[in-house]
């Protein structure tokens, strides 16, 4: 959808985010909310409320443009502009960044240097899987330190599930909605391992309305967006927060949805 039309669409990001905030509050769970600068600019009170409840506010860029579609100057502007806007709203440093669609991929490592130079202390954009569209095969599965020309940067990769030699994705609202059971086990069976470095959900996970039904998209995108299993997502998230995993690690990409 062209960005020029975003402001003309009905926004449900505030109500949907409030649903997640209430769920987290039920279980005294804190999370990191990666917020688009565009959303923060239009819903400043929402960003302040997230911070006032003790959650971390981090950057998700300004326009939600994939890193591999940008040059370094354009990416720097995205990272700098969103960081500045969020810091003005919450009154404290914004140190975390998540690239749209996990789009820091092999060949675009210069993005880490840009982030460190702009004052970010950690990134959570790498998905150490092999997948069309995104993925960084071979990347470490756990937290690790990156050395850049502008200083150190901590990488918190997306959660994965190792089954023998195969590394499977275990992060994202889509997986939580569509898989038969919650894909984040508390205690993986012998021979399997799980990285919980980053679990991610969008505010729309609790939205039972289906805007994608009115937008022309491909069948895979349509299924991933309006899957009938959406109604199961919040109960599953509530179960996770209640103790199915040692802690509820929640990253919420507050996008223009």
């Amino acid at each position: 959808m062209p960005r020029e039309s975003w402001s003309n669409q009905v926004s449900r990001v505030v109500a949907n985010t409030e649903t997640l905030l209430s769920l987290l509050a039920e279980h005294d769970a804190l999370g990191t909310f990666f917020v688009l600068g565009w959303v923060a600019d239009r819903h400043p009170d929402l960003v302040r409320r997230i911070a006032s409840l003790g959650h971390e506010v981090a950057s998700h860029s300004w326009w939600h443009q994939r890193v591999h579609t940008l040059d370094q100057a354009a990416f720097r502007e995205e990272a700098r502009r969103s960081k500045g806007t969020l810091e003005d709203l919450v009154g404290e440093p914004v140190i975390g960044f998540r690239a749209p669609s996990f789009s820091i991929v092999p060949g675009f490592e210069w993005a880490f240097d840009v982030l460190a130079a702009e004052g970010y202390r950690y990134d959570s954009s790498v998905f150490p899987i092999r997948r069309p569209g995104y993925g960084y095969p071979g990347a470490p599965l756990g937290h690790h330190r990156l050395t850049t020309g502008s200083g150190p940067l901590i990488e918190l990769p997306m959660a994965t599930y190792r089954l023998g030699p195969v590394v499977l994705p275990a992060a994202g609202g889509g997986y939580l909605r569509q898989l038969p059971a919650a894909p984040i086990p508390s205690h993986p069976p012998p021979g399997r391992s799980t990285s919980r470095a980053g679990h991610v959900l969008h505010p729309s996970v609790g939205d039972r309305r289906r805007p994608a039904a009115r937008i022309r998209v491909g069948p895979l995108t349509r299924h991933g967006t309006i899957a009938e299993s959406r109604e199961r997502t919040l109960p599953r998230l509530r179960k996770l927060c209640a103790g199915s995993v040692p802690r509820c690690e929640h990253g919420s990409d507050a996008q223009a949805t």
Side-chain angles (χ1 to χ4, degrees):
M1 181 175 292
R3 67 174 67 161
E4 293 80 11
S5 69
W6 287 7
S7 296
N8 298 326
Q9 308 303 318
V10 175
S11 175
R12 298 197 293 279
V13 69
V14 173
N16 290 340
T17 302
E18 287 289 352
T19 297
L20 289 182
L21 289 172
S22 296
L23 186 151
L24 293 173
E26 289 175 16
H27 302 282
D28 296 322
L30 296 177
T32 295
F33 285 72
F34 293 91
V35 185
L36 275 187
W38 186 88
V39 170
D41 189 51
R42 283 153 180 78
H43 303 287
D45 289 342
L46 176 63
V47 179
R48 295 189 187 102
R49 174 161 167 74
I50 291 170
S52 72
L53 293 174
H55 303 287
E56 180 188 12
V57 171
S59 171
H60 195 42
S61 79
W62 187 273
W63 284 114
H64 204 267
Q65 298 183 94
R66 298 187 182 193
V67 175
H68 51 70
T69 68
L70 304 173
D71 59 25
Q72 293 191 36
F75 177 66
R76 185 181 301 275
E77 174 62 20
E78 287 266 316
R80 177 180 296 173
R81 185 182 180 190
S82 61
K83 188 176 193 292
T85 296
L86 293 170
E87 289 179 339
D88 288 344
L89 291 174
V90 302
E92 58 185 34
V94 168
I95 63 172
F97 182 86
R98 173 166 290 154
S101 302
F102 318 117
S103 54
I104 298 182
V105 296
F108 291 83
E109 292 81 1
W110 50 257
F112 299 129
D113 187 87
V114 171
L115 292 174
E118 292 301 317
Y120 290 96
R121 292 172 53 190
Y122 76 85
D123 173 70
S124 187
S125 305
V126 170
F127 214 146
I129 60 170
R130 189 178 304 277
R131 181 190 185 281
Y134 61 76
Y136 203 117
L141 303 185
H143 304 183
H144 56 281
R145 181 183 297 269
L146 301 172
T147 300
T148 79
S150 300
L153 189 72
I154 300 298
E155 179 61 40
L156 310 179
M158 296 299 98
T160 54
Y161 188 78
R162 182 185 289 278
L163 183 60
V166 180
V167 178
L168 303 173
Y175 303 110
L176 194 62
R177 287 199 306 272
Q178 298 173 54
L179 292 180
I184 311 170
S186 302
H187 303 287
R192 302 180 184 180
S193 62
T194 301
S195 164
R196 295 192 184 92
H199 303 312
V200 53
L201 292 171
H202 295 84
S204 58
V205 297
D207 193 343
R208 289 180 171 82
R209 300 174 66 184
R210 292 180 163 88
R214 301 192 303 271
I215 301 172
R216 289 187 178 182
V217 295
L220 289 178
T221 299
R222 180 180 298 276
H223 176 74
T225 304
I226 62 174
E228 68 283 1
S229 54
R230 179 186 298 263
E231 285 74 11
R232 297 181 299 186
T233 305
L234 285 180
R236 287 179 174 183
L237 180 58
R238 181 172 284 107
K239 183 177 179 181
L240 292 176
C241 289
S244 293
V245 294
R247 60 176 296 195
C248 181
E249 300 183 57
H250 174 80
S252 175
D253 295 322
Q255 300 183 32
T257 53

